[in-house]
Amino acid sequence: MLDRLTERERLSVFLAALFVGILGLYTILSFFVDLRNRLTDEIYETRSQATEIDRLIREYNYLKSLQTGGSEEDVSVMYSKLDQIMVRYNLKDKVQTMKDSTTPIRKEYTRISIDISFRSVLLQDVIKMIYDIEKNKQVQGKVDYLTFRKPFSEKDVYDVTIKVSSYNRNSKGK
């Protein structure tokens, strides 16, 4: 069939076939690149959804503990648990002040807050303590407030103040 064509016609047919082949290859490659980009976007979206689900589960568990009354009975239980954590990280002897306050919230709940001030502590020890409170749930509460300042510029010690709060349902509010 190509025998009957002139050299010019054969070149035109060859170039047309080459063009169609390149166009087909481009179409197939662009399809796969588009699939890959969509999959990459879906992976990033899934990762962000996983962190959002983790945050929602933690929040749900915290609110569920509020609804059931929490596990903290009174201030002395919180002090006891906080003392255990502070001894574990060698923070007990560096406590400057510890004071508590109890605040009623809407007649149904009570917020117990303990303000702790540390003097000349390593920041990583305080972070470990906060991790035990927030993530490991060794105290049924949350860290509401954290401040730190470096009193000596040549040393790696800080003065730290944290506020730990726990919420309890009043027995008469049920």
Side-chain angles (χ1 to χ4, degrees), residues 5-18:
L5 299 177
T6 65
E7 188 65 31
R8 184 180 230 176
E9 291 172 338
R10 272 190 234 151
L11 183 62
S12 297
V13 168
F14 176 73
L15 289 177
L18 184 66

Side-chain angles (χ1 to χ4, degrees), residues 146-162:
L146 167 69
T147 60
F148 57 92
R149 68 180 185 85
K150 194 172 190 176
F152 308 109
S153 61
E154 65 274 355
K155 294 186 178 180
D156 284 337
V157 293
Y158 295 84
D159 291 343
V160 178
T161 304
I162 65 171

